[in-house]
Amino acid sequence: MTASDVKSPVTSRPGLALLAVPVVAGVGVAVALGVYGSVHEPAQYGIGIAGFSTGAVAKSWLTTAAVVLAVVQVVTGAGMWGWFGLGDRTWVAPLHRWSGRLAVLATLPVVTHCLYAFGVEHDNPRVLAHSLLGCLFFGAFTAKMLALRPTSVPGWTLPVLGGLLFTALAGLWLTSALWYFTTTGALR
C-alpha cells in the first residue's frame, strides 16, 4: 500500500453517513463497558495469568507490551501514508496488521481482569481516568475495525481513529503500568 492507495481525503455526505455506523458502534461499546463496570459488583480479586506473580504484575507487563506494539502501529501506519519512506515496502502493511492484532490480544486479559476485579471506580481520579480511557480504547478499537472496509469513508478516518487508539492506550499505560512500576519499585 502506498500513499496513492489511501482513501481520498475528500469528505462527502455518503462517506460521512457511512462513518456514522462505526462511530455509533464504538460509542455503544464504550458506554456498554462503562455501564457494566459501574453496575457490576467487583470481585476484588484478580484472575491468575500464568507466568506472572500477581494480577497487577501481569496487567502492567501486558499493557507495556501493548504500548510497544502500538508504537510499531504508529510507525507502520504513518509509513503506509508515505512517511519514513516505508510506503512501497511489502512488509509494512502485514507488520501493521499483526502488531495491532497482538497489541489488542495483550489487552484482553487486562480488560477482563480490570472489569471483573475492580469495575469502574469513581473514588480516585487516577483510577477514574484509567477506567474512562479503557472504555475509550475499546470503543475506538471497535470504530476503527468497522471503518476499515468501507471505501467511501473520509480519508482522515483511519489516522484519526488510530491516533485516538494510541492516545487512549498511552493514557492507560500512564495511569496503570507506569504508576505500578514507580510506586512498587518494580523497575529498580
Side-chain angles (χ1 to χ4, degrees), residues 59-60 63-64 66-68 70-71 74 107 110 114 124-138 140 162-180:
K59 289 182 349 178
S60 297
T63 304
T64 300
V67 167
V68 168
V71 169
V74 169
T107 66
V110 177
C114 288
N124 180 316
R126 178 193 62 81
V127 178
L128 176 60
H130 181 76
S131 298
L132 295 175
L133 286 165
C135 295
L136 174 66
F137 175 81
F138 282 100
L164 186 58
L165 266 170
F166 180 79
T167 302
L169 186 57
L172 284 166
W173 185 80
L174 290 168
T175 58
S176 62
L178 181 64
W179 176 85
Y180 177 79

Side-chain angles (χ1 to χ4, degrees), residues 40-54:
H40 164 72
E41 186 65 35
Q44 298 302 326
Y45 60 89
I47 300 166
I49 300 173
F52 297 100
S53 57
T54 67

Side-chain angles (χ1 to χ4, degrees), residues 58-145:
K59 289 182 349 178
S60 297
W61 284 111
L62 288 171
T63 304
T64 300
V67 167
V68 168
L69 290 164
V71 169
V72 173
Q73 281 274 286
V74 169
V75 171
T76 56
M80 289 189 302
W81 281 80
W83 294 21
F84 310 125
L86 298 177
D88 295 334
R89 316 255 182 198
T90 59
W91 54 268
V92 175
L95 179 59
H96 183 77
R97 283 191 296 273
W98 278 100
S99 62
R101 289 172 182 151
L102 292 173
V104 170
L105 186 63
T107 66
L108 293 178
V110 177
V111 70
T112 303
H113 182 276
C114 288
L115 281 173
Y116 179 74
F118 306 116
V120 173
E121 295 186 22
H122 304 90
D123 303 340
N124 180 316
R126 178 193 62 81
V127 178
L128 176 60
H130 181 76
S131 298
L132 295 175
L133 286 165
C135 295
L136 174 66
F137 175 81
F138 282 100
F141 171 75
T142 301
K144 184 176 181 211
M145 293 302 101

